[in-house]
Each structure stands twice: as C-alpha cells, then as structure tokens.
Amino acid sequence: MNPSENPLGAEPVSVLLRRFAVPSVIAMLVSALYNMVDQLFIGHSIGVLGNAATNVAFPLSMVCTSIGLLCGIGGAANFNLCMGRKETEHAKSYVGNAVSMLAILGVILCIAVQLFLRPMMILFGATADVLTYACTYTRITSIGFPFLIVTIGGSNLIRADGSPNYSMACNLVGAVVNSILDPLFIFVFHMGMAGAALATITGQVLSFLLVVRYLRGFKTLPLSLSDLKPKTACWIQIASLGATPAFNQVAMMVVQIVMNNTLTHYGSNSIYGSDIPLACAGIISKVNMLFFSFVIGISQGLQPIVSFNFGAAKYDRVKEAYKKAVFAATAISVVAFLCFQLFPRQIISIFGSGSEEYLHFAERYFRIFLFFTFLNGIQPVSSNFFTSIGAPKKGIFLSLTRQIIFLLPLLLIFPYLFGIDGVMYTAPIADLAAASVSIFMVVREFKIMTELENRKAAA
C-alpha cells in the first residue's frame, strides 16, 4: 500500500470491516445495555409496574438516538465523501457543524421534555398505575439527553476520523459506571426509579467528556472554533445524509407509542390485563434492541468504508463491503432467532418474576412477534448503504419500510380484527416485506455500479 494512500481505499475490505464494525457493535451494545441494566434492576426491585414505566419512557431514548444519528452519521458520511474527493475544507465544516447541531438539538429536547413531561408519558401509553414511576424516571434522565446525544453523534464522527476503538471506549466507560451505580442507588440507598435514572445520567456525562476530549484534537483535520459556527448549507446536507438512520429511529418511536397504546387498550379486554402486555413488550423490545445493536453496529462500521470508496469511484470495493456486512448481520440474526424461539421463558425470567399469565404472554410474544428475526439484518444495512453512497432518498425510503409503511398499518388493522393476538402477527409480515424490498433495491443499485465500472474501463 502506498503510504500516502488512505487505508479506507487500499486495505482489504474484510480487514477494514472488522476494524470499524467490531468497535461499532460494542458501542451499540453498550448503548442498549444502558436501558437493559435499568430494566433488570428495576424489575427485581419494583416489579412489573417499574418495567412498564421504562417501556413508556423508551420512545424518548429513541428520539435521542435519532438526533445523534441524524447529526453524527450525516456529518460522518459527508466528511468521508469529501475526504474521498480530497475536499478537506468542506470536510472540516461538516464535522464542526455536526457537533453544533448535536449540542443545540440536545438542549432543545431536554427543555421540551421538562415542560411537557406528564402529557408525554400519557401519550406514550402510561396507565394510571404506571404514570408516577414513568414521570420520576424521565424527569431525571431527560437532564442527560444533551450529553447522550453528543456522545451518540460524536462517536460516529470519531469513527469516521479513523478511531473506532476510542469511539467504543467512550460508550463503554459510561455503561460500566451505570452498571456499578444502578444496584448501589437502587438497593443500597433505596432510591428506586430515581436511583436508576441518576446512575444513567452519571454514565452519560462521563462518556460525553471523553467525546469532547477527542473532538478538541480531531486527528485527520484539526478543528477550529470557526468550524463550529452553524452554516445553513452544512446543516441541510448533514440532515440529508443523516435522515435515513434518524427516520428509522423516529419510525421505531412512532411504532413504539402506537404499540404501547394498542397493548394497553386491547390488553384490558383480555385475560392479561393492560399492565402485563405493556411490561412484557417493553422487556422484549429491549432484548431485541440488544440483538439489533449487532446489526446497527455492522451498518455503522460499513459507512466510512462505503462512503470513501464511492467518493473515490472504487465501486468493486463498495459492493464487496456491502456483501460482507449483510452476511455478518444475517449470521448474527440467525443466532438471535434461535435464542428467541428456544429460550423465551429463560430470557424473560432474567428481568424478574411474574404471574403465569405474564410468562405465557411473554413466551408467545417472543416466538410470534420475532419470528422473522433471521431476516432483520438486511434492511438496516441496506438503508445505511444508500446513505453512505450519497443517495439519501433511497435510504430514507428503506428506513421507513419496516416500521411505517408495513408495520404501522398492520398495528391498526390486526388488533381490531384479532384482539391482543393480532399485535403479535404484525412484525413477521413487516419483516419479510422490508427484507424483500431491500434486496430488490440493492440489486438494482449494483447493476448501476457495474455499468459505471464498465464505462470507466472502456474509457
């Protein structure tokens, strides 16, 4: 390899994918564990109502992730595309403006939640018994939203700068601190929901400080204060390329809110009641997010490789990177599918005990709702692939297929026809449809790249 050549355009794709994807996976796992650790200790200390409360609060975590990915992946994709085209000044502006967006939007979200907390919790599906727990937890965790958002977005920028291990460490430190403080605050100091929330934001602040430390000494191109000055054109372009993962999170949030209200409404008319489906769905969504962290981590690790090589017109490397990423994501998805089908009761029991109705509902929900988990690696990797090559419209469309285009309409129709059981059959249909559309769109894009390669060879 020529020493002056960027490793993203020269090193073997499999080596690059391991280097960038493994730290990304670990970082995403750590992020998922933030919520799971709280759920675990709350389940053992407070019980079903506490688990239901964290489920009600979960959409706001998705909003934070959405904003972080909007600015972080949008800034990182533009940065790598510009570096591939050797446009260094533009690359600096995108990183600086991404940081400004993260900070400003994080503060705005924190203020909005503090002002409208109670109506938000009711909107998200809190029952009368769950509302107090949900408000206590969210009032405190919302203070940490600006720190969490900068950490999520900044981690993507750090990864794009060629430091995936540091990006992983930023998230890992916060998760370890949260895991240590959670049992201390909940069981030793008897602080309940407030203790879990305080442990969470303490870890987020430490992760934030590590991200800021790195950004002050950005490796590839040193940043100055002028790069942080908001520029409308940069914000628009960042939002354009970051919209795909952001919309995916927003779509998940919308579905989660509809799901919570649907489970509460139709659960009250079933043998399970309203709180059992709400609590079970919350735990299962967190467990599913743990698996999904592998898939999202792989897709994020793919981004700098694809963006740089597409900008440098090395289309063979772009296609190779996508294929290897999809293979890895699918292999992990198959393992998750087997766990969900074979050990649902064992998994749900980790988060505390419950009645036989509680365990029965959880088992059925795992096996039916997550039946096509083995296909769930295709759509996220594909949507992020289109973002990485600068095709945001295709990426946004793909990011909306599973949640909004397929799942949401089914959530409105199936429970009306089949009651609480109807909720369970919505996801496998949506998963199959989203995977099919993704494969079709990527095959078409590969044909276009092949034509470009042929023209380049002929010239």
Side-chain angles (χ1 to χ4, degrees), residues 218-266:
F218 206 67
K219 185 173 66 176
T220 304
L221 299 169
L223 302 177
S224 62
L225 288 176
S226 61
D227 295 319
L228 300 175
K229 184 178 179 181
K231 298 175 183 176
T232 304
C234 284
W235 279 45
I236 291 172
Q237 189 60 23
I238 289 170
S240 174
L241 293 191
T244 298
F247 278 13
N248 194 43
Q249 289 294 318
V250 170
M252 290 171 64
M253 180 197 71
V254 171
V255 168
Q256 184 75 38
I257 294 169
V258 174
M259 180 80 74
N260 288 349
N261 285 283
T262 301
L263 290 168
T264 301
H265 176 72
Y266 289 98

Side-chain angles (χ1 to χ4, degrees), residues 65-124:
T65 303
S66 174
I67 295 172
L69 297 179
L70 175 77
C71 309
I73 288 186
N78 278 292
F79 170 76
N80 289 127
L81 285 167
C82 286
M83 291 300 292
R85 295 191 292 257
K86 304 188 185 303
E87 299 171 355
T88 55
E89 285 304 312
H90 286 144
K92 285 179 59 179
S93 293
Y94 283 123
V95 174
N97 273 256
V99 173
S100 299
M101 287 178 72
L102 290 164
I104 293 170
L105 295 178
V107 171
I108 291 173
L109 178 63
C110 173
I111 294 171
V113 173
Q114 291 290 331
L115 292 176
F116 305 107
L117 176 60
R118 188 180 177 85
M120 277 186 178
M121 296 298 97
I122 295 172
L123 175 66
F124 294 170

Side-chain angles (χ1 to χ4, degrees), residues 147-449:
F147 305 106
L148 174 60
I149 288 169
V150 171
T151 299
I152 293 171
S155 295
N156 284 281
L157 296 172
I158 292 169
R159 191 180 305 115
D161 192 41
S163 300
N165 290 327
Y166 190 95
S167 174
M168 172 190 69
C170 292
N171 291 278
L172 191 59
V173 167
V176 170
V177 170
N178 180 42
S179 299
I180 294 170
L181 294 182
D182 251 331
L184 184 66
F185 288 169
I186 293 174
F187 296 112
V188 178
F189 298 141
H190 305 290
M191 297 174 68
M193 298 294 289
L198 283 172
T200 297
I201 65 172
T202 303
Q204 290 167 353
V205 170
L206 289 176
S207 294
F208 163 83
L209 293 174
L210 287 174
V211 168
V212 171
R213 176 178 176 271
Y214 183 95
L215 293 175
R216 291 182 63 186
F218 206 67
K219 185 173 66 176
T220 304
L221 299 169
L223 302 177
S224 62
L225 288 176
S226 61
D227 295 319
L228 300 175
K229 184 178 179 181
K231 298 175 183 176
T232 304
C234 284
W235 279 45
I236 291 172
Q237 189 60 23
I238 289 170
S240 174
L241 293 191
T244 298
F247 278 13
N248 194 43
Q249 289 294 318
V250 170
M252 290 171 64
M253 180 197 71
V254 171
V255 168
Q256 184 75 38
I257 294 169
V258 174
M259 180 80 74
N260 288 349
N261 285 283
T262 301
L263 290 168
T264 301
H265 176 72
Y266 289 98
S268 65
N269 298 323
S270 73
I271 60 172
Y272 305 109
S274 57
D275 290 330
I276 284 177
L278 193 62
C280 287
I283 293 172
I284 291 167
S285 69
K286 304 288 175 57
V287 173
N288 192 40
M289 283 299 294
L290 190 65
F291 140 68
F292 222 61
S293 298
F294 286 92
V295 175
I296 298 300
I298 290 169
S299 70
Q300 289 184 359
L302 177 69
Q303 179 270 311
I305 305 167
V306 168
S307 292
F308 183 91
N309 284 286
F310 190 84
K314 297 182 178 182
Y315 303 118
D316 56 332
R317 290 173 62 82
V318 172
K319 290 188 286 185
E320 182 186 356
Y322 170 84
K323 291 175 183 177
K324 290 183 181 298
V326 165
F327 178 82
T330 302
I332 291 166
S333 300
V334 170
V335 174
F337 165 78
L338 294 173
C339 290
F340 296 159
Q341 295 299 313
L342 298 176
F343 311 111
R345 183 168 289 226
Q346 291 86 340
I347 294 172
I348 201 74
S349 297
I350 295 171
F351 297 88
S353 58
S355 64
E356 184 58 33
E357 289 83 4
Y358 171 82
L359 295 172
H360 180 258
F361 182 85
E363 278 189 22
R364 295 188 68 228
Y365 200 92
F366 258 119
R367 288 186 170 134
I368 299 172
F369 194 80
L370 301 177
F371 182 77
F372 274 126
T373 296
F374 58 88
L375 295 176
N376 282 352
I378 299 172
Q379 183 253 357
V381 172
S382 300
S383 61
N384 200 40
F385 166 77
F386 282 108
T387 295
S388 302
I389 64 172
K393 291 181 180 179
K394 294 178 181 178
I396 291 169
F397 171 75
L398 267 189
S399 71
L400 297 178
T401 50
R402 196 250 181 200
Q403 304 290 342
I404 299 298
I405 297 175
F406 298 126
L407 184 56
L408 191 57
L410 292 172
L411 268 176
L412 299 175
I413 297 169
F414 274 30
Y416 178 77
L417 297 175
F418 308 112
I420 193 72
D421 285 355
V423 176
M424 303 184 194
Y425 291 95
T426 58
I429 298 172
D431 291 338
L432 178 61
S436 300
V437 172
S438 299
I439 293 169
F440 174 76
M441 290 182 63
V442 170
V443 168
R444 287 188 61 187
E445 193 66 33
F446 276 14
K447 289 181 179 178
I448 294 172
M449 289 186 189

